[in-house]
Amino acid sequence: MEIAIVLFEGFDELDAIGPYEVFENASDAGADLTVSLCTLAETERITASHGLRVEPDATLDERSPDLVVVPGGGWNDRSEAGARAEAERGDLPDALATLYDRGTTVAAVCTGGMVVSRSGLLDGRPAVTHADALPDLRDSAARVVDARVVDDGDILTAGGVTSGIDLAFHLVEREFGAEIARTVGEEMEYEPSGDVHTSRGR
């Protein structure tokens, strides 16, 4: 499985780096996956919402991901950079819709769900986002669910920042089995909440 975590100016650090570490540890534990940090356009460095500077691995066009993970950041305080800016610009939502049409599973962490919502991919589907952004999600065509992680098959969403770690653990267990997920949990000394709403996707 090829996983791409998409970065943009103002993304929340833990939204992206938490899942990245879970996936890397899963690979070390035997999961057949690769994970990379990608941007839409080629750039040397991306600055996250708390100032962390990250050098991306590639652009999305240079990968053929089976799964793309979209972090949030900056939505609730209407930052000039972040998820709200990306949603309003439209390039990232369009890219996600294109990837989905090609068969890519789309997963969103925190207010990354609002970026996915702007693409239309959450229309009529169960979803969750950061608690402070739930009114915005309710104003969309998504069906808001009270859960930490929502798995609708080929579209997944997660609540607030740390729920991205739970989302990644859920995906590891779903795709590679409970034993690898348990090994990663022991390595990271982390116990996922288990608060996952599951339903069928397309």
Side-chain angles (χ1 to χ4, degrees), residues 2 8 33 40 53 63 108 121 158-160 177 183 187 189 192-193 198:
E2 183 167 356
F8 47 82
L33 69 82
L40 278 186
R53 291 185 291 277
R63 296 289 191 263
L121 295 178
T183 299
E187 169 68 22
E189 295 190 5
S193 72
T198 58

Side-chain angles (χ1 to χ4, degrees), residues 59-83:
T59 65
L60 274 176
D61 286 343
E62 294 171 329
R63 296 289 191 263
S64 298
D66 303 292
L67 167 70
V68 62
V69 178
V70 186
W75 181 273
N76 296 322
D77 56 9
R78 299 179 178 270
S79 297
E80 290 184 10

Side-chain angles (χ1 to χ4, degrees), residues 76-95:
N76 296 322
D77 56 9
R78 299 179 178 270
S79 297
E80 290 184 10
R84 187 181 292 271
E86 294 300 319
E88 292 175 352
R89 186 175 298 114
D91 294 344
L92 181 52
D94 288 348

Side-chain angles (χ1 to χ4, degrees), residues 15-36:
D15 284 5
I17 304 307
Y20 181 89
E21 183 163 338
V22 174
F23 293 136
E24 281 288 356
N25 281 325
S27 177
D28 291 343
D32 184 14
L33 69 82
T34 59
V35 58
S36 56

